[in-house]
Amino acid sequence: MLKCYKFIQVNNFDNYLRMANYKFIRVDFFQVHVAHGASITNAYDGFLEIMNGGVASVFKNNGYNRELYKITVTDDGRICGSFRKFREDDLPQISSIGGDEIDLTLKDGEGIVEQNCFIFYPKVNVLAMHFNTHANHYSRLAETLTSLWGTKVELSTMISADQFKRINNPDSSLVAFEAKIPKPKNPDLLPDADDFARDSLALLNCTDGDYMSIKIAVDRRFEGGAKRLKSTVKNALTTFKQYDPQKLFATIDEGGVISPIDLIAERIKRNRSFESNSRHISRIALYKLINEAYLDAEADINGYLNI
């Protein structure tokens, strides 16, 4: 069957989502950090090793086989690929309205596939990945690359350049922050914590809790309203945002103007919509949408990276 795709840039998603045959994707952006000390020291070389068969492409993680599939290099040096998750057990059944369920028949080695397509931009060391709630969390990609490349890999989220500059402006003061952090499932694969974050996570681990909520603020009635949190707390915000927080707020004082900043809502991300008469969208079409999203977010990304 011939598949047709029509790409559009959408400003009002509510209107489009009411229309038949329109779907949308979200694209998230991450800095890629590769630890030194192993044979693979940067992401570009690591992806090439997978593409050329120098290292494996499959890693069993959290009960699923996860695969880096169809890694390719574009003419301008970008790396495109699919990060696939295979469901081989506890499979869904199929049916029609009013009909009986029918088991899916799979051959040995086959499974239900869910994927996240991505593009890696080596010039800025940024990876853009389409969000798929049924497939892989970005932390799974970091864990898989860590195993395949034999060195620690981190994917860190980025926030909009304007908000990042506001928080790190030496003339702004951090007067409060609030965080809800889940217990790390694999602390060895997480970024090195600063002293404040490390001590906070140690408290979570020693109590065997599943998550930790922190809220710290100064009482601005003292010291003429000039009291502020120590600068080390700003470092903790940078660390905590890489631990997949459920909540992360910072409140800053900019010359007497108090402003809350939601560091999760302010993550750099873009939505794209497409029209299709197919039940799914092809990888080629996804790569096109991902690259369009990157070009739209490029100014924010460069601002965050200060380039």
Side-chain angles (χ1 to χ4, degrees), residues 184-247:
K185 294 181 180 179
N186 195 341
D188 291 338
L189 298 180
L190 290 169
D192 295 329
D194 57 276
D195 290 343
F196 179 87
R198 181 167 52 248
D199 292 345
S200 300
L201 292 168
L203 179 63
L204 175 60
N205 288 327
C206 75
T207 57
D208 200 27
D210 293 316
Y211 69 88
M212 171 180 60
S213 292
I214 306 173
K215 186 174 183 178
I216 299 177
V218 299
D219 191 333
R220 302 185 71 252
R221 295 175 298 175
F222 299 105
E223 299 183 12
K227 193 172 183 182
R228 64 182 66 184
L229 295 174
K230 292 184 177 180
S231 59
T232 53
V233 181
K234 283 188 177 183
N235 297 332
L237 288 174
T238 301
T239 302
F240 280 143
K241 75 180 180 68
Q242 300 182 56
Y243 280 70
D244 199 23
Q246 298 172 19
K247 179 189 295 184

Short mmCIF file of all heavy atoms in Angstrom, two decimals, residues 184-247:
data_model
loop_
_atom_site.label_atom_id
_atom_site.label_comp_id
_atom_site.label_asym_id
_atom_site.label_seq_id
_atom_site.Cartn_x
_atom_site.Cartn_y
_atom_site.Cartn_z
N PRO A 184 17.41 6.23 42.49
CA PRO A 184 18.13 5.75 41.30
C PRO A 184 18.10 4.24 41.21
O PRO A 184 18.40 3.54 42.19
CB PRO A 184 19.55 6.28 41.51
CG PRO A 184 19.41 7.41 42.48
CD PRO A 184 18.27 7.03 43.38
N LYS A 185 17.72 3.71 40.02
CA LYS A 185 17.69 2.27 39.84
C LYS A 185 19.08 1.69 39.65
O LYS A 185 19.34 0.54 39.99
CB LYS A 185 16.80 1.92 38.65
CG LYS A 185 15.33 2.28 38.87
CD LYS A 185 14.48 1.90 37.66
CE LYS A 185 13.01 2.25 37.90
NZ LYS A 185 12.17 1.90 36.73
N ASN A 186 19.95 2.48 39.07
CA ASN A 186 21.32 2.02 38.85
C ASN A 186 22.26 3.20 39.06
O ASN A 186 22.67 3.85 38.11
CB ASN A 186 21.49 1.44 37.44
CG ASN A 186 22.78 0.65 37.31
OD1 ASN A 186 23.71 0.81 38.12
ND2 ASN A 186 22.86 -0.19 36.30
N PRO A 187 22.60 3.50 40.33
CA PRO A 187 23.41 4.69 40.63
C PRO A 187 24.74 4.73 39.90
O PRO A 187 25.27 5.81 39.63
CB PRO A 187 23.61 4.59 42.15
CG PRO A 187 22.50 3.71 42.64
CD PRO A 187 22.26 2.73 41.53
N ASP A 188 25.29 3.57 39.54
CA ASP A 188 26.60 3.54 38.88
C ASP A 188 26.56 4.20 37.50
O ASP A 188 27.59 4.63 36.99
CB ASP A 188 27.10 2.10 38.74
CG ASP A 188 27.45 1.47 40.08
OD1 ASP A 188 27.71 2.23 41.04
OD2 ASP A 188 27.43 0.23 40.17
N LEU A 189 25.37 4.27 36.90
CA LEU A 189 25.25 4.83 35.56
C LEU A 189 24.84 6.29 35.58
O LEU A 189 24.70 6.90 34.53
CB LEU A 189 24.23 4.03 34.75
CG LEU A 189 24.57 2.55 34.52
CD1 LEU A 189 23.48 1.89 33.71
CD2 LEU A 189 25.91 2.40 33.81
N LEU A 190 24.66 6.86 36.77
CA LEU A 190 24.22 8.24 36.87
C LEU A 190 25.41 9.18 36.97
O LEU A 190 26.52 8.77 37.32
CB LEU A 190 23.31 8.40 38.10
CG LEU A 190 21.95 7.71 37.95
CD1 LEU A 190 21.21 7.66 39.28
CD2 LEU A 190 21.10 8.41 36.91
N PRO A 191 25.19 10.46 36.67
CA PRO A 191 26.30 11.41 36.73
C PRO A 191 26.86 11.56 38.13
O PRO A 191 26.17 11.32 39.13
CB PRO A 191 25.67 12.73 36.24
CG PRO A 191 24.21 12.54 36.43
CD PRO A 191 23.94 11.09 36.25
N ASP A 192 28.13 11.95 38.20
CA ASP A 192 28.74 12.17 39.51
C ASP A 192 28.05 13.33 40.21
O ASP A 192 27.90 14.42 39.65
CB ASP A 192 30.23 12.47 39.35
CG ASP A 192 31.00 11.28 38.77
OD1 ASP A 192 30.58 10.14 39.05
OD2 ASP A 192 31.98 11.50 38.07
N ALA A 193 27.62 13.08 41.43
CA ALA A 193 26.86 14.09 42.16
C ALA A 193 27.80 15.07 42.88
O ALA A 193 28.90 14.72 43.28
CB ALA A 193 25.95 13.41 43.18
N ASP A 194 27.31 16.31 43.03
CA ASP A 194 28.00 17.26 43.89
C ASP A 194 27.73 16.87 45.34
O ASP A 194 26.93 15.98 45.64
CB ASP A 194 27.51 18.67 43.61
CG ASP A 194 26.02 18.79 43.80
OD1 ASP A 194 25.27 18.46 42.85
OD2 ASP A 194 25.58 19.15 44.89
N ASP A 195 28.40 17.53 46.30
CA ASP A 195 28.29 17.14 47.70
C ASP A 195 26.85 17.19 48.20
O ASP A 195 26.38 16.27 48.88
CB ASP A 195 29.17 18.05 48.58
CG ASP A 195 30.64 17.80 48.35
OD1 ASP A 195 30.99 16.73 47.79
OD2 ASP A 195 31.46 18.67 48.72
N PHE A 196 26.12 18.26 47.87
CA PHE A 196 24.75 18.40 48.36
C PHE A 196 23.86 17.30 47.80
O PHE A 196 23.11 16.63 48.52
CB PHE A 196 24.19 19.77 47.98
CG PHE A 196 22.77 20.00 48.43
CD1 PHE A 196 22.51 20.48 49.70
CD2 PHE A 196 21.71 19.71 47.59
CE1 PHE A 196 21.21 20.68 50.13
CE2 PHE A 196 20.40 19.91 48.01
CZ PHE A 196 20.15 20.40 49.28
N ALA A 197 23.93 17.07 46.48
CA ALA A 197 23.10 16.04 45.86
C ALA A 197 23.49 14.65 46.35
O ALA A 197 22.64 13.80 46.60
CB ALA A 197 23.22 16.12 44.34
N ARG A 198 24.79 14.41 46.52
CA ARG A 198 25.25 13.10 46.98
C ARG A 198 24.73 12.81 48.39
O ARG A 198 24.24 11.70 48.68
CB ARG A 198 26.77 13.04 46.94
CG ARG A 198 27.32 11.68 47.38
CD ARG A 198 28.80 11.52 47.05
NE ARG A 198 29.58 12.63 47.54
CZ ARG A 198 30.17 13.53 46.77
NH1 ARG A 198 30.03 13.47 45.45
NH2 ARG A 198 30.89 14.51 47.29
N ASP A 199 24.80 13.79 49.27
CA ASP A 199 24.31 13.59 50.64
C ASP A 199 22.80 13.39 50.65
O ASP A 199 22.27 12.60 51.44
CB ASP A 199 24.68 14.79 51.52
CG ASP A 199 26.18 14.88 51.77
OD1 ASP A 199 26.89 13.88 51.52
OD2 ASP A 199 26.64 15.96 52.19
N SER A 200 22.09 14.11 49.79
CA SER A 200 20.63 13.97 49.73
C SER A 200 20.25 12.58 49.25
O SER A 200 19.35 11.93 49.81
CB SER A 200 20.03 15.02 48.79
OG SER A 200 20.32 16.33 49.24
N LEU A 201 20.92 12.09 48.21
CA LEU A 201 20.62 10.76 47.69
C LEU A 201 21.05 9.67 48.65
O LEU A 201 20.41 8.60 48.72
CB LEU A 201 21.30 10.58 46.33
CG LEU A 201 20.73 11.46 45.22
CD1 LEU A 201 21.65 11.43 44.01
CD2 LEU A 201 19.33 11.01 44.82
N ALA A 202 22.10 9.93 49.44
CA ALA A 202 22.51 8.96 50.46
C ALA A 202 21.41 8.80 51.51
O ALA A 202 21.14 7.70 52.00
CB ALA A 202 23.81 9.41 51.12
N LEU A 203 20.75 9.90 51.86
CA LEU A 203 19.64 9.84 52.81
C LEU A 203 18.49 9.00 52.24
O LEU A 203 17.88 8.20 52.95
CB LEU A 203 19.15 11.26 53.12
CG LEU A 203 17.96 11.38 54.08
CD1 LEU A 203 18.32 10.84 55.45
CD2 LEU A 203 17.52 12.84 54.19
N LEU A 204 18.21 9.17 50.95
CA LEU A 204 17.16 8.38 50.31
C LEU A 204 17.51 6.90 50.32
O LEU A 204 16.68 6.04 50.64
CB LEU A 204 16.95 8.87 48.88
CG LEU A 204 15.97 8.09 48.00
CD1 LEU A 204 14.57 8.08 48.59
CD2 LEU A 204 15.94 8.68 46.59
N ASN A 205 18.76 6.58 50.00
CA ASN A 205 19.17 5.18 49.93
C ASN A 205 19.18 4.50 51.29
O ASN A 205 18.77 3.34 51.43
CB ASN A 205 20.56 5.07 49.29
CG ASN A 205 20.54 5.37 47.80
OD1 ASN A 205 19.56 5.08 47.13
ND2 ASN A 205 21.61 5.96 47.29
N CYS A 206 19.62 5.22 52.32
CA CYS A 206 19.74 4.58 53.63
C CYS A 206 18.38 4.34 54.29
O CYS A 206 18.28 3.55 55.23
CB CYS A 206 20.66 5.40 54.55
SG CYS A 206 19.92 6.90 55.20
N THR A 207 17.34 5.02 53.82
CA THR A 207 16.00 4.81 54.37
C THR A 207 15.19 3.82 53.55
O THR A 207 14.05 3.49 53.91
CB THR A 207 15.22 6.15 54.43
OG1 THR A 207 15.15 6.72 53.13
CG2 THR A 207 15.91 7.12 55.39
N ASP A 208 15.74 3.38 52.42
CA ASP A 208 15.07 2.44 51.51
C ASP A 208 13.78 3.02 50.97
O ASP A 208 12.82 2.29 50.71
CB ASP A 208 14.82 1.10 52.20
CG ASP A 208 14.60 -0.04 51.19
OD1 ASP A 208 15.13 0.08 50.07
OD2 ASP A 208 13.88 -1.00 51.51
N GLY A 209 13.74 4.35 50.83
CA GLY A 209 12.56 4.99 50.25
C GLY A 209 12.57 4.89 48.73
O GLY A 209 13.59 4.58 48.11
N ASP A 210 11.42 5.15 48.12
CA ASP A 210 11.30 5.09 46.67
C ASP A 210 11.48 6.45 46.01
O ASP A 210 11.84 6.53 44.84
CB ASP A 210 9.94 4.52 46.26
CG ASP A 210 9.80 3.05 46.67
OD1 ASP A 210 10.77 2.29 46.45
OD2 ASP A 210 8.75 2.68 47.20
N TYR A 211 11.19 7.52 46.73
CA TYR A 211 11.43 8.85 46.21
C TYR A 211 11.64 9.81 47.36
O TYR A 211 11.32 9.51 48.52
CB TYR A 211 10.28 9.33 45.31
CG TYR A 211 8.98 9.60 46.03
CD1 TYR A 211 8.72 10.85 46.59
CD2 TYR A 211 8.01 8.61 46.16
CE1 TYR A 211 7.53 11.10 47.26
CE2 TYR A 211 6.83 8.86 46.82
CZ TYR A 211 6.58 10.10 47.38
OH TYR A 211 5.41 10.34 48.03
N MET A 212 12.17 10.95 47.07
CA MET A 212 12.48 11.95 48.08
C MET A 212 11.97 13.30 47.61
O MET A 212 12.19 13.69 46.45
CB MET A 212 14.00 12.01 48.30
CG MET A 212 14.48 13.17 49.16
SD MET A 212 16.27 13.12 49.34
CE MET A 212 16.79 13.27 47.63
N SER A 213 11.26 14.01 48.49
CA SER A 213 10.82 15.36 48.21
C SER A 213 11.62 16.32 49.08
O SER A 213 11.76 16.11 50.29
CB SER A 213 9.33 15.53 48.50
OG SER A 213 8.55 14.80 47.58
N ILE A 214 12.16 17.35 48.46
CA ILE A 214 12.96 18.36 49.15
C ILE A 214 12.37 19.73 48.85
O ILE A 214 12.04 20.03 47.70
CB ILE A 214 14.43 18.35 48.69
CG1 ILE A 214 15.05 16.96 48.81
CG2 ILE A 214 15.26 19.36 49.47
CD1 ILE A 214 16.43 16.87 48.19
N LYS A 215 12.24 20.54 49.87
CA LYS A 215 11.86 21.92 49.67
C LYS A 215 12.67 22.76 50.65
O LYS A 215 12.56 22.62 51.86
CB LYS A 215 10.37 22.14 49.90
CG LYS A 215 9.92 23.57 49.55
CD LYS A 215 8.41 23.72 49.64
CE LYS A 215 7.97 25.12 49.22
NZ LYS A 215 6.49 25.27 49.25
N ILE A 216 13.52 23.64 50.10
CA ILE A 216 14.39 24.48 50.91
C ILE A 216 14.20 25.93 50.47
O ILE A 216 14.16 26.22 49.27
CB ILE A 216 15.87 24.07 50.76
CG1 ILE A 216 16.07 22.61 51.23
CG2 ILE A 216 16.77 25.00 51.54
CD1 ILE A 216 17.48 22.11 51.04
N ALA A 217 14.06 26.81 51.45
CA ALA A 217 13.87 28.22 51.12
C ALA A 217 14.47 29.07 52.22
O ALA A 217 14.68 28.61 53.35
CB ALA A 217 12.37 28.54 50.97
N VAL A 218 14.76 30.32 51.90
CA VAL A 218 15.23 31.28 52.90
C VAL A 218 14.04 32.11 53.37
O VAL A 218 13.03 32.24 52.67
CB VAL A 218 16.32 32.21 52.32
CG1 VAL A 218 17.52 31.41 51.87
CG2 VAL A 218 15.77 33.05 51.17
N ASP A 219 14.16 32.65 54.57
CA ASP A 219 13.16 33.58 55.09
C ASP A 219 13.64 34.98 54.76
O ASP A 219 14.57 35.50 55.38
CB ASP A 219 13.00 33.39 56.61
CG ASP A 219 11.80 34.14 57.16
OD1 ASP A 219 11.41 35.15 56.54
OD2 ASP A 219 11.25 33.73 58.20
N ARG A 220 13.01 35.60 53.77
CA ARG A 220 13.49 36.87 53.27
C ARG A 220 13.17 38.05 54.20
O ARG A 220 13.52 39.19 53.90
CB ARG A 220 12.93 37.13 51.87
CG ARG A 220 13.31 36.02 50.89
CD ARG A 220 12.86 36.31 49.47
NE ARG A 220 13.64 37.39 48.89
CZ ARG A 220 13.19 38.61 48.67
NH1 ARG A 220 11.96 38.93 49.03
NH2 ARG A 220 13.96 39.52 48.12
N ARG A 221 12.55 37.76 55.34
CA ARG A 221 12.32 38.83 56.32
C ARG A 221 13.61 39.21 57.03
O ARG A 221 13.70 40.28 57.64
CB ARG A 221 11.28 38.39 57.35
CG ARG A 221 9.89 38.16 56.76
CD ARG A 221 8.95 37.62 57.81
NE ARG A 221 9.41 36.32 58.31
CZ ARG A 221 8.82 35.67 59.31
NH1 ARG A 221 7.77 36.19 59.92
NH2 ARG A 221 9.28 34.49 59.69
N PHE A 222 14.61 38.30 56.95
CA PHE A 222 15.87 38.56 57.63
C PHE A 222 16.90 39.12 56.65
O PHE A 222 16.80 38.96 55.44
CB PHE A 222 16.40 37.28 58.28
CG PHE A 222 15.46 36.72 59.32
CD1 PHE A 222 14.69 35.60 59.04
CD2 PHE A 222 15.32 37.33 60.56
CE1 PHE A 222 13.82 35.09 59.98
CE2 PHE A 222 14.46 36.82 61.51
CZ PHE A 222 13.70 35.70 61.22
N GLU A 223 17.90 39.78 57.21
CA GLU A 223 19.01 40.35 56.44
C GLU A 223 18.51 41.32 55.37
O GLU A 223 19.05 41.39 54.26
CB GLU A 223 19.88 39.25 55.81
CG GLU A 223 20.52 38.33 56.85
CD GLU A 223 21.43 37.29 56.21
OE1 GLU A 223 21.72 37.43 55.00
OE2 GLU A 223 21.84 36.35 56.91
N GLY A 224 17.46 42.05 55.70
CA GLY A 224 16.92 43.05 54.79
C GLY A 224 16.40 42.47 53.48
O GLY A 224 16.38 43.16 52.46
N GLY A 225 15.98 41.23 53.51
CA GLY A 225 15.46 40.58 52.30
C GLY A 225 16.54 40.13 51.35
O GLY A 225 16.23 39.74 50.21
N ALA A 226 17.80 40.20 51.77
CA ALA A 226 18.91 39.87 50.87
C ALA A 226 19.46 38.45 51.08
O ALA A 226 20.43 38.07 50.45
CB ALA A 226 20.05 40.87 51.05
N LYS A 227 18.83 37.68 51.97
CA LYS A 227 19.35 36.35 52.25
C LYS A 227 19.15 35.45 51.03
O LYS A 227 18.15 35.55 50.31
CB LYS A 227 18.64 35.75 53.47
CG LYS A 227 19.32 34.51 54.01
CD LYS A 227 18.69 34.07 55.33
CE LYS A 227 19.44 32.88 55.89
NZ LYS A 227 18.82 32.40 57.16
N ARG A 228 20.10 34.57 50.80
CA ARG A 228 20.05 33.68 49.64
C ARG A 228 20.58 32.31 50.03
O ARG A 228 21.29 32.16 51.04
CB ARG A 228 20.87 34.25 48.50
CG ARG A 228 22.37 34.35 48.79
CD ARG A 228 23.15 34.96 47.65
NE ARG A 228 22.79 36.35 47.44
CZ ARG A 228 23.28 37.08 46.44
NH1 ARG A 228 24.12 36.54 45.57
NH2 ARG A 228 22.95 38.34 46.31
N LEU A 229 20.27 31.30 49.22
CA LEU A 229 20.85 29.98 49.40
C LEU A 229 22.28 29.98 48.89
O LEU A 229 22.65 30.78 48.03
CB LEU A 229 20.03 28.93 48.65
CG LEU A 229 18.59 28.71 49.14
CD1 LEU A 229 17.86 27.76 48.20
CD2 LEU A 229 18.58 28.16 50.55
N LYS A 230 23.08 29.07 49.41
CA LYS A 230 24.47 28.98 48.99
C LYS A 230 24.57 28.59 47.53
O LYS A 230 23.69 27.93 46.97
CB LYS A 230 25.22 27.97 49.86
CG LYS A 230 25.39 28.41 51.30
CD LYS A 230 26.23 27.39 52.08
CE LYS A 230 26.47 27.85 53.52
NZ LYS A 230 27.28 26.88 54.29
N SER A 231 25.65 28.99 46.91
CA SER A 231 25.83 28.74 45.47
C SER A 231 25.90 27.24 45.16
O SER A 231 25.63 26.82 44.04
CB SER A 231 27.11 29.42 44.98
OG SER A 231 28.24 28.95 45.68
N THR A 232 26.26 26.42 46.16
CA THR A 232 26.33 24.98 45.93
C THR A 232 24.96 24.39 45.56
O THR A 232 24.90 23.36 44.90
CB THR A 232 26.87 24.25 47.17
OG1 THR A 232 26.08 24.64 48.32
CG2 THR A 232 28.32 24.59 47.42
N VAL A 233 23.89 25.07 45.98
CA VAL A 233 22.55 24.58 45.66
C VAL A 233 22.27 24.74 44.17
O VAL A 233 21.59 23.92 43.55
CB VAL A 233 21.48 25.29 46.51
CG1 VAL A 233 20.10 24.75 46.18
CG2 VAL A 233 21.77 25.10 48.00
N LYS A 234 22.81 25.78 43.54
CA LYS A 234 22.68 25.91 42.09
C LYS A 234 23.34 24.73 41.39
O LYS A 234 22.83 24.21 40.39
CB LYS A 234 23.31 27.22 41.60
CG LYS A 234 22.47 28.47 41.87
CD LYS A 234 23.07 29.69 41.17
CE LYS A 234 22.21 30.92 41.36
NZ LYS A 234 22.72 32.11 40.64
N ASN A 235 24.47 24.28 41.90
CA ASN A 235 25.13 23.11 41.32
C ASN A 235 24.26 21.88 41.48
O ASN A 235 24.20 21.02 40.58
CB ASN A 235 26.49 22.87 41.99
CG ASN A 235 27.46 24.02 41.78
OD1 ASN A 235 27.38 24.72 40.78
ND2 ASN A 235 28.37 24.20 42.71
N ALA A 236 23.57 21.78 42.62
CA ALA A 236 22.69 20.63 42.86
C ALA A 236 21.53 20.60 41.87
O ALA A 236 21.10 19.53 41.45
CB ALA A 236 22.16 20.65 44.29
N LEU A 237 21.03 21.77 41.49
CA LEU A 237 19.95 21.82 40.49
C LEU A 237 20.41 21.19 39.19
O LEU A 237 19.67 20.44 38.54
CB LEU A 237 19.51 23.26 40.25
CG LEU A 237 18.73 23.95 41.37
CD1 LEU A 237 18.52 25.42 41.02
CD2 LEU A 237 17.39 23.27 41.60
N THR A 238 21.63 21.51 38.78
CA THR A 238 22.18 20.94 37.54
C THR A 238 22.29 19.43 37.66
O THR A 238 22.01 18.69 36.71
CB THR A 238 23.56 21.54 37.25
OG1 THR A 238 23.44 22.97 37.13
CG2 THR A 238 24.14 20.98 35.96
N THR A 239 22.69 18.94 38.84
CA THR A 239 22.80 17.50 39.05
C THR A 239 21.44 16.83 39.09
O THR A 239 21.19 15.83 38.40
CB THR A 239 23.55 17.21 40.37
OG1 THR A 239 24.83 17.82 40.32
CG2 THR A 239 23.71 15.71 40.58
N PHE A 240 20.52 17.38 39.87
CA PHE A 240 19.21 16.76 40.04
C PHE A 240 18.43 16.65 38.73
O PHE A 240 17.66 15.71 38.54
CB PHE A 240 18.38 17.54 41.06
CG PHE A 240 18.73 17.23 42.50
CD1 PHE A 240 18.72 18.23 43.45
CD2 PHE A 240 19.04 15.95 42.90
CE1 PHE A 240 19.03 17.96 44.77
CE2 PHE A 240 19.35 15.65 44.22
CZ PHE A 240 19.35 16.67 45.16
N LYS A 241 18.64 17.59 37.80
CA LYS A 241 17.85 17.55 36.57
C LYS A 241 18.24 16.37 35.70
O LYS A 241 17.50 16.01 34.77
CB LYS A 241 17.96 18.85 35.80
CG LYS A 241 19.25 19.10 35.06
CD LYS A 241 19.21 20.44 34.35
CE LYS A 241 20.51 20.73 33.59
NZ LYS A 241 20.70 19.83 32.44
N GLN A 242 19.36 15.71 36.00
CA GLN A 242 19.78 14.52 35.26
C GLN A 242 19.31 13.23 35.90
O GLN A 242 19.54 12.15 35.37
CB GLN A 242 21.31 14.51 35.14
CG GLN A 242 21.86 15.72 34.40
CD GLN A 242 23.36 15.65 34.24
OE1 GLN A 242 23.88 14.68 33.69
NE2 GLN A 242 24.06 16.67 34.71
N TYR A 243 18.65 13.33 37.06
CA TYR A 243 18.19 12.14 37.78
C TYR A 243 16.72 11.85 37.52
O TYR A 243 16.05 11.25 38.34
CB TYR A 243 18.43 12.32 39.29
CG TYR A 243 19.86 12.05 39.70
CD1 TYR A 243 20.89 12.91 39.36
CD2 TYR A 243 20.19 10.92 40.45
CE1 TYR A 243 22.19 12.67 39.74
CE2 TYR A 243 21.49 10.67 40.82
CZ TYR A 243 22.49 11.55 40.46
OH TYR A 243 23.78 11.31 40.83
N ASP A 244 16.19 12.32 36.38
CA ASP A 244 14.81 12.09 36.00
C ASP A 244 13.84 12.54 37.11
O ASP A 244 13.00 11.76 37.57
CB ASP A 244 14.59 10.61 35.69
CG ASP A 244 13.33 10.38 34.87
OD1 ASP A 244 12.89 11.34 34.20
OD2 ASP A 244 12.78 9.27 34.92
N PRO A 245 13.93 13.79 37.57
CA PRO A 245 13.06 14.24 38.66
C PRO A 245 11.60 14.32 38.22
O PRO A 245 11.29 14.60 37.05
CB PRO A 245 13.61 15.64 38.98
CG PRO A 245 14.19 16.11 37.70
CD PRO A 245 14.76 14.88 37.04
N GLN A 246 10.71 14.07 39.16
CA GLN A 246 9.29 14.24 38.89
C GLN A 246 8.88 15.70 39.08
O GLN A 246 7.86 16.14 38.56
CB GLN A 246 8.47 13.33 39.82
CG GLN A 246 8.77 11.85 39.62
CD GLN A 246 8.11 10.98 40.66
OE1 GLN A 246 7.17 11.40 41.34
NE2 GLN A 246 8.60 9.75 40.81
N LYS A 247 9.67 16.44 39.85
CA LYS A 247 9.41 17.86 40.08
C LYS A 247 10.75 18.54 40.32
O LYS A 247 11.60 18.00 41.02
CB LYS A 247 8.50 18.04 41.29
CG LYS A 247 8.19 19.50 41.64
CD LYS A 247 7.47 19.61 42.98
CE LYS A 247 6.10 18.96 42.92
NZ LYS A 247 5.36 19.16 44.20
#
